[in-house]
Amino acid sequence: MQFGVVTLFPEALMGIVEAGVVGRAIRDGKVDVFTESPRSHAHDKHRTVDDRPFGGGPGMVMTPQPTMDAIGTLRQRLPKAKVVYLTPQGSVFNQAAATRFSQAESVILLCGRYEGIDERIIDSAVDEEVSLGDFVLSGGEVAAAAVIDSVSRLVPGVLGHPESASQDSFAASGWLDCPHYTRPEIFNGMAVPPVLMSGDHKAIALWRRQQALTRTRLRRPELIQSSALTPADRALLKKIESEDF
Ligand code: 9D3
């Protein structure tokens, strides 16, 4: 999987993605991340990439030419790549979008700074607009790093067997995960739930499913789709709802 990233902060972007699982995937040649800065395509004395908004108002807007030329440079290497603009105006990124992107050979991610980019860049070069959600970031780099991370995890061979087998929250069931515990058995007076020490694998699986369903129901009720519930889940849910959480 190849990612091209248009960013004014290539070092910051690479600093995030070169850590951990994705960093190893890059070193193993399973994932490639190329950056291109609009700054390299600005030819005036001050290498200007932004200007004041027509119509007035606060902040600055990224001008079309340097950013279009940076996209063009990445396109030479990634001719088939879709261009995805990270923006608060986009549709909210989720695991289904990550899966869809992971099926492509390559993606070009476009990071904005300032108030955003000139709309004509979007009209002429952007295929899709994606947001991380309803909160304000300073630019697209943190969002691009999140997209690269989540998509790379879905590339075959990037996760080792233990990790891929561990059912990721969302991907696996669409529910939140159950709580996890490790040694010591008692920490600051808090014990591990006894069922986890029982060796009864059926009871453990039932407890974990109950915990996952309970916290999903409490924290993210919109994730529970009744059509996806087994009869056992329905019974658990009925019990949870009667128990006045
Ligand atoms: C405070 C500035 N806002 C004025 C109305 C608008 C604004 C412009 C640019 C808000 C954020 C940004 C920069 N954000 C991103 O580039 C961004 C982002 C985000 O802020 N939140 C969630 N997902 C994303 S993806 C890219």
Side-chain angles (χ1 to χ4, degrees):
M1 175 98 211
Q2 299 186 300
F3 297 96
V5 188
V6 176
T7 170
L8 289 170
F9 299 96
E11 301 83 3
L13 188 279
M14 294 309 293
I16 308 174
V17 301
E18 280 176 347
V21 165
V22 179
R24 189 187 60 205
I26 293 171
R27 292 188 291 276
D28 291 348
K30 291 174 180 132
V31 170
D32 265 340
V33 182
F34 313 111
T35 58
E36 191 66 28
S37 176
R39 193 78 63 193
S40 312
H41 299 271
H43 304 302
D44 65 309
K45 185 171 125 199
H46 299 288
R47 309 212 124 194
T48 308
V49 295
D50 60 328
D51 206 337
R52 293 174 311 171
F54 278 129
M60 299 292 273
V61 176
M62 287 173 67
T63 60
Q65 177 265 314
T67 290
M68 286 300 293
D69 289 353
I71 295 169
T73 294
L74 289 173
R75 266 229 169 292
Q76 292 176 21
R77 252 211 274 211
L78 310 172
K80 295 193 237 168
K82 268 195 175 188
V83 176
V84 176
Y85 174 39
L86 287 315
T87 165
Q89 277 70 54
S91 47
V92 178
F93 187 68
N94 61 14
Q95 193 68 30
T99 300
R100 186 162 54 77
F101 291 163
S102 75
Q103 284 155 6
E105 208 168 281
S106 54
V107 176
I108 294 173
L109 300 171
L110 173 54
C111 302
R113 281 276 155 173
Y114 318 111
E115 286 308 301
I117 66 177
D118 188 296
E119 191 69 15
R120 292 165 295 185
I121 302 170
I122 301 174
D123 296 341
S124 49
V126 170
D127 297 298
E128 194 167 335
E129 297 178 68
V130 163
S131 166
L132 285 197
D134 296 335
F135 50 89
V136 179
L137 295 173
S138 306
E141 287 75 13
V142 167
V147 169
I148 291 169
D149 190 284
S150 64
V151 173
S152 296
R153 297 172 60 80
L154 300 171
V155 171
V158 167
L159 291 188
H161 260 288
E163 286 164 291
S164 51
S166 90
Q167 303 172 350
D168 270 0
S169 179
F170 290 99
S173 63
W175 291 358
L176 303 184
D177 209 352
C178 62
H180 301 285
Y181 297 88
T182 185
R183 294 191 296 173
E185 204 174 320
I186 303 197
F187 176 70
N188 285 354
M190 297 177 284
V192 171
V195 65
L196 298 179
M197 315 301 292
S198 70
D200 181 343
H201 299 293
K202 255 186 94 175
I204 291 168
L206 185 68
W207 179 85
R208 285 182 170 155
R209 202 160 174 83
Q210 189 162 7
Q211 289 291 312
L213 193 51
T214 303
R215 52 165 57 172
T216 306
R217 163 87 201 152
L218 277 171
R219 301 176 189 180
R220 301 287 305 277
E222 78 280 9
L223 293 180
I224 297 178
Q225 253 125 28
S226 53
S227 59
L229 296 174
T230 66
D233 294 334
R234 279 172 210 283
L236 276 175
L237 201 55
K238 223 173 150 183
K239 187 160 169 264
I240 291 162
E241 279 162 3
S242 70
E243 275 170 8
D244 192 12
F245 280 94

